[in-house]
DNA sequence: GGTATGCGGGCACGGTTACA
DNA sequence: TGTAACCGTGCCCGCATACC
C-alpha cells in the first residue's frame, strides 16, 4: 500500500547528530570539484532509502515497501503484498534504526497503491481499454523501451498511476496491475487525510487513502470493447465512438455548454451500463477492494504506537 | 543570480439541481 | 435546451523558501 514516502525532520540538527552516531549510515560530505570547497549538503544511502541533508532540511525519501523486503530477504522489489502491519513494522524499524521521532517528521510526498493479480495481460488493458481519467487523456503514457506499460494522469497535487507491475519486474506467468495514488502536495495530505507526520499513518488514514484511491479509480474510463457490435443501433454506435474519443470530449469542452456536456456524460454512462461494457472496470474494482481488505486484515499489536 | 518547490488565498469553472 | 443559483474542486498566481 504505502510505497514511496518522503519526509523531512523538523529537528534537523538532532537528526544529524543521531545518524552521525549511528552504525547504519555513512554520511558523506559533498565537495565542489572545482574549488575543493566543502558544501553544506551531505547525503547518505541507508538500504534503498536516500537521505539528504541540506542547509535547512534533512529529508528521507524512498520506498518503504522495498525497505521492508530488503531486510525480510525478499530482495529490493515492491511487487509482492505489503500489509498494513508490514508497513508499521518497517516504519518502526526505520525509526529505531535512525533514531527518528515520528512527531518530529513532516511528510511531503506519499504514494498509496495496490498490486492486483488480473486475468488478462495488463498491457492489453493499458494499451487499449483504459482510456481516460475525468474524460482526459493521460499526461504520461510510456513504454520504457518495451520494459513497461505506464499511464499517469496528473493534476496539481496528485497523480493517478496505472502500470504493468509484472512487466516492470520481468515476471513471467504473472499479470500484475498496479493502481496508485501519488500525492505530491502536502496540502492534499492535510486537507483530505489530516496527515502531517509519520505517526499519523494509522488504520484510519489508510482507509481514507484507500477510499480516495477508489474515488479516483471510479473516474477512469475503462471499457470492455472499442466498438459496439453491428446489431446495435447506428445512432448508439456513433454515440459510443464519440464517448470513447478524448478529442470528442475536448471538443465538447470548448464548443458546448456545461449543461449539454453533463447530459452527454449521463447518456454515455447509461449506454455503457445498458450494454454492460464496464465488466472489466467492475472486476478491477472488486479486486482492489479484496486486496485492500486482505492487506488490512492483520494484527500488529506487538508494535508500539500502532493504531 | 536563476530555478524548483512549497504554500495558501482567491477565484473561475464545472457539476449539479430546480425550474421554465 | 436554457437560465439561475449553489457549491466544491482545482488551478493560477504571488510570495516565501530551498536549492543549485
Amino acid at each position: 500500500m504505502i510505497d514511496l514516502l518522503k519526509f523531512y525532520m523538523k529537528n534537523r540538527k538532532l537528526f544529524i547528530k543521531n545518524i552521525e552516531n549511528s552504525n547504519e549510515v555513512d554520511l558523506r560530505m559533498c565537495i565542489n570539484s572545482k574549488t575543493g570547497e566543502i558544501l553544506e549538503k551531505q547525503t547518505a544511502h541507508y538500504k534503498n532509502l536516500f537521505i539528504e541533508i541540506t542547509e535547512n532540511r534533512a529529508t528521507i525519501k524512498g520506498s518503504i515497501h522495498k525497505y521492508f523486503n530488503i531486510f525480510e530477504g525478499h530482495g529490493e522489489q515492491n511487487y509482492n503484498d505489503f500489509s498494513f502491519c508490514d508497513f508499521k513494522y518497517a516504519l518502526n524499524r526505520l525509526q529505531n534504526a535512525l533514531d527518528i521521532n515520528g512527531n518530529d517528521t513532516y511528510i511531503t510526498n506519499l504514494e498509496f497503491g495496490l498490486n492486483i493479480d488480473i486475468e488478462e495481460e495488463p498491457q492489453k488493458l493499458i494499451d487499449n481499454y483504459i482510456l481516460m481519467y475525468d474524460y482526459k487523456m493521460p499526461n504520461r503514457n510510456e513504454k520504457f523501451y518495451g520494459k513497461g506499460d505506464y499511464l499517469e494522469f496528473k493534476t496539481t497535487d496528485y497523480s493517478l498511476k496505472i502500470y504493468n507491475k509484472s512487466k516492470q519486474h520481468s515476471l513471467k506467468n504473472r499479470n500484475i496491475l498496479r493502481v496508485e495514488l501519488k500525492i505530491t502536495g502536502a496540502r492534499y495530505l492535510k486537507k483530505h487525510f489530516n496527515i502531517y507526520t509519520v505517526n499519523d499513518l494509522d488504520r484510519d488514514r489508510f482507509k481514507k487513502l484507500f477510499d480516495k484511491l477508489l474515488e479516483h479509480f471510479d473516474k477512469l474510463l475503462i471499457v470492455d470493447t472499442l466498438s459496439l457490435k453491428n446489431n446495435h443501433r447506428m445512432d448508439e454506435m456513433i454515440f459510443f465512438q464519440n464517448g470513447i474519443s478524448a478529442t470528442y470530449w475536448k471538443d465538447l469542452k470548448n464548443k458546448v455548454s456545461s449543461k449539454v456536456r453533463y447530459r452527454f456524460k449521463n447518456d454515455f454512462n447509461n449506454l455503457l451500463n445498458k450494454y454492460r461494457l464496464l465488466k472489466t472496470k467492475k472486476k478491477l474494482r472488486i479486486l482492489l477492494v479484496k486486496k485492500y481488505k486482505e492487506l488490512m486484515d492483520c494484527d500488529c499489536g506487538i508494535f508500539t504506537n500502532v493504531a
Side-chain angles (χ1 to χ4, degrees):
Chain A
M1 286 182 286
I2 288 186
D3 187 23
L4 180 129
L5 203 52
K6 183 180 173 187
F7 57 92
Y8 66 82
M9 312 310 145
K10 290 177 197 161
N11 192 334
R12 174 183 167 278
K13 281 184 184 166
L14 178 66
F15 177 69
I16 294 172
K17 197 178 141 201
N18 289 344
I19 59 171
E20 277 174 348
N21 294 329
S22 153
N23 295 323
E24 302 277 3
V25 177
D26 280 329
L27 204 54
R28 300 189 175 189
M29 310 288 258
C30 291
I31 296 174
N32 185 319
S33 59
K34 284 181 184 167
T35 63
E37 176 198 3
I38 297 172
L39 304 171
E40 188 73 27
K41 185 171 152 179
Q42 297 174 78
T43 61
H45 289 277
Y46 168 57
K47 309 288 183 195
N48 65 309
L49 304 171
F50 182 65
I51 300 168
E52 187 178 59
I53 314 279
T54 58
E55 201 176 338
N56 296 297
R57 287 236 169 130
T59 310
I60 297 183
K61 178 186 174 182
S63 163
I64 199 84
H65 186 171
K66 287 182 183 173
Y67 172 72
F68 176 80
N69 278 332
I70 289 170
F71 63 73
E72 285 294 302
H74 302 316
E76 189 175 342
Q77 51 84 8
N78 59 356
Y79 56 77
N80 61 341
D81 285 343
F82 186 47
S83 74
F84 173 72
C85 293
D86 293 339
F87 168 76
K88 292 304 281 187
Y89 178 59
L91 188 62
N92 203 284
R93 188 174 169 132
L94 174 65
Q95 287 183 241
N96 288 335
L98 302 183
D99 208 356
I100 297 167
N101 174 359
N103 284 325
D104 192 36
T105 59
Y106 187 83
I107 303 174
T108 59
N109 295 54
L110 183 156
E111 291 178 4
F112 183 89
L114 292 160
N115 300 326
I116 48 174
D117 283 274
I118 60 174
E119 288 169 12
E120 54 277 84
E121 239 295 299
Q123 180 177 359
K124 199 174 144 196
L125 257 182
I126 291 168
D127 284 353
N128 302 297
Y129 303 114
I130 301 177
L131 303 175
M132 288 174 256
Y133 168 80
D134 200 21
Y135 305 101
K136 288 175 210 129
M137 296 266 279
N139 310 74
R140 280 180 74 189
N141 183 349
E142 297 202 28
K143 288 285 158 199
F144 302 107
Y145 302 102
K147 291 182 179 172
D149 310 295
Y150 176 98
L151 297 176
E152 181 171 350
F153 303 90
K154 190 167 170 37
T155 66
T156 312
D157 292 337
Y158 65 88
S159 294
L160 184 63
K161 288 161 58 176
I162 296 177
Y163 56 96
N164 187 342
K165 200 75 186 169
S166 34
K167 192 187 260 192
Q168 184 191 11
H169 292 276
S170 308
L171 299 172
K172 285 172 186 163
N173 308 318
R174 291 284 299 274
N175 290 327
I176 307 176
L177 184 76
R178 182 164 181 87
V179 182
E180 183 177 290
L181 178 62
K182 172 183 174 179
I183 299 163
T184 48
R187 66 174 166 183
Y188 196 82
L189 288 171
K190 288 186 257 177
K191 186 175 172 185
H192 295 274
F193 317 106
N194 203 25
I195 291 174
Y196 294 82
T197 76
V198 298
N199 281 358
D200 294 331
L201 301 172
D202 56 16
R203 281 187 186 271
D204 180 47
R205 291 344 192 284
F206 267 62
K207 176 75 171 61
K208 285 191 166 78
L209 284 161
F210 178 65
D211 287 345
K212 188 58 78 178
L213 178 74
L214 273 189
E215 190 184 316
H216 290 304
F217 175 82
D218 289 341
K219 288 162 99 174
L220 286 168
L221 177 62
I222 305 173
V223 291
D224 296 344
T225 177
L226 296 177
S227 64
L228 291 183
K229 295 202 175 67
N230 291 335
N231 58 348
H232 288 106
R233 283 163 37 192
M234 184 59 82
D235 61 330
E236 286 186 335
M237 285 169 70
I238 294 168
F239 193 77
F240 176 75
Q241 288 305 319
N242 287 336
I244 61 169
S245 156
T247 323
Y248 187 83
W249 284 102
K250 206 174 171 184
D251 276 354
L252 275 186
K253 204 169 184 176
N254 296 330
K255 291 176 182 167
V256 300
S257 67
S258 66
K259 180 78 179 180
V260 175
R261 197 165 54 252
Y262 174 64
R263 292 227 163 117
F264 180 82
K265 191 183 286 182
N266 278 343
D267 293 345
F268 177 60
N269 282 308
N270 288 339
L271 184 77
L272 293 176
N273 282 314
K274 180 180 171 187
Y275 291 108
R276 301 179 188 282
L277 300 174
L278 300 172
K279 291 194 288 292
T280 309
K281 185 174 178 180
K282 284 178 183 162
K283 252 195 277 177
L284 294 177
R285 199 180 197 281
I286 288 167
L287 288 172
L288 285 171
V289 173
K290 187 165 168 264
K291 178 64 78 175
Y292 172 74
K293 282 185 182 161
E294 271 173 36
L295 297 181
M296 291 305 286
D297 185 19
C298 55
D299 177 12
C300 28
I302 54 166
F303 309 125
T304 53
N305 302 322
V306 172

